[in-house]
């Protein structure tokens, strides 16, 4: 992507949900396990929510933190 176009978007590049699905298929947890999630560049938080929902559905107890400018 051209620099001017990138600056016009404010550097915002959300992770596509289809790509998150592929990432989340590789993650596992022990049911009842306590997991803390941190997304230091969360944007609107869609990927963090998807990550949180996936681990919760697998039985984890999650706490999530998202940081954005």
């Amino acid at each position: 992507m051209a620099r001017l176009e990138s600056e016009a978007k404010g550097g915002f590049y959300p992770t596509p949900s289809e790509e998150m699905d592929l990432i989340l298929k590789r993650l596992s947890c022990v049911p009842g396990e306590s997991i803390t999630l941190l997304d230091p560049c969360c944007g609107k938080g869609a990927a963090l929510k998807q990550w949180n929902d996936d681990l919760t559905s697998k039985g984890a107890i999650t706490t999530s933190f998202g940081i954005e400018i």
Side-chain angles (χ1 to χ4, degrees):
M1 178 176 292
R3 180 171 171 79
L4 290 176
E5 188 176 345
S6 173
E7 289 176 3
K9 288 182 68 170
F12 179 62
Y13 300 96
T15 304
S17 64
E18 298 82 19
E19 193 166 324
M20 276 303 294
D21 287 337
L22 296 173
I23 294 167
L24 295 173
K25 285 181 185 179
R26 308 285 297 178
L27 298 179
S28 63
C29 64
V30 176
E33 182 177 17
S34 180
I35 299 175
T36 301
L37 309 173
L38 172 64
D39 186 349
C41 302
C42 72
K44 294 181 180 180
L48 180 59
K49 181 177 181 341
Q50 188 175 354
W51 187 19
N52 184 68
D53 293 346
D54 180 74
L55 288 176
T56 301
S57 73
K58 293 176 182 174
I61 301 165
T62 61
T63 304
S64 60
F65 298 94
I67 302 168
E68 189 55 52
I69 297 178

